[in-house]
Amino acid sequence: EHHIALHAQLAASAADAPLPPGGAAAAGCVNTTCSPKKVALAAVRDAAEACFQRVGTAPAVELRGADDTLPFIDFHIHYILREVLKNAMRATMENSSSSQNSRPYPIIVLVALGPAAFTLRISDRGGGIPAELWSRIYELGFSTAGDVGG
């Protein structure tokens, strides 16, 4: 039904007809002016807060790329990116030098938009998942985070 609402809204906009309920920025749960870069910024803030709670600090994040818009469901981008960033931040902090004078390498988030799609690329120096654990990454509840407390 979101696809139908989006299609109706785009058709109405093209014909200069009144927009359906929800206004110009929404068609169901689809944000017709979704900015992946702005959603990524919110996910960075949320992931940094989680990292602060866990280890007391967080690495810097450089957000690069386009700030264009496209129709998409913001929540999906935010949820997935927040989870990936939490992992990247934790691993970066765990694998950074313990020297008081050194800061961990920043995490780079690159947003690249095409005409109807976008790509998010996250680069970190967290060390990755050891090869001997690759076969387990899709197991329910599997984590390399160790004991996260209760």
Side-chain angles (χ1 to χ4, degrees), residues 31-113:
N31 177 354
T32 59
T33 57
C34 174
S35 165
K37 191 169 186 179
K38 289 178 182 164
V39 176
L41 180 59
V44 166
R45 289 180 185 144
D46 290 348
E49 181 179 327
C51 191
F52 273 110
Q53 290 174 357
R54 182 174 167 103
V55 298
T57 188
V61 177
E62 295 178 17
L63 189 55
R64 301 176 182 171
D67 193 20
D68 295 332
T69 63
L70 76 165
F72 210 83
I73 302 172
D74 301 55
F75 175 77
H76 292 175
I77 305 168
H78 184 271
Y79 178 81
I80 293 167
L81 188 55
R82 182 188 69 222
E83 294 302 313
V84 171
L85 284 167
K86 284 182 355 187
N87 291 341
M89 288 180 178
R90 177 191 50 80
T92 296
M93 296 311 298
E94 288 174 355
N95 290 297
S96 66
S97 170
S98 60
S99 168
Q100 299 247 354
N101 294 331
S102 68
R103 298 263 317 138
Y105 287 102
I107 295 169
I108 310 297
V109 177
L110 175 65
V111 180
L113 269 70

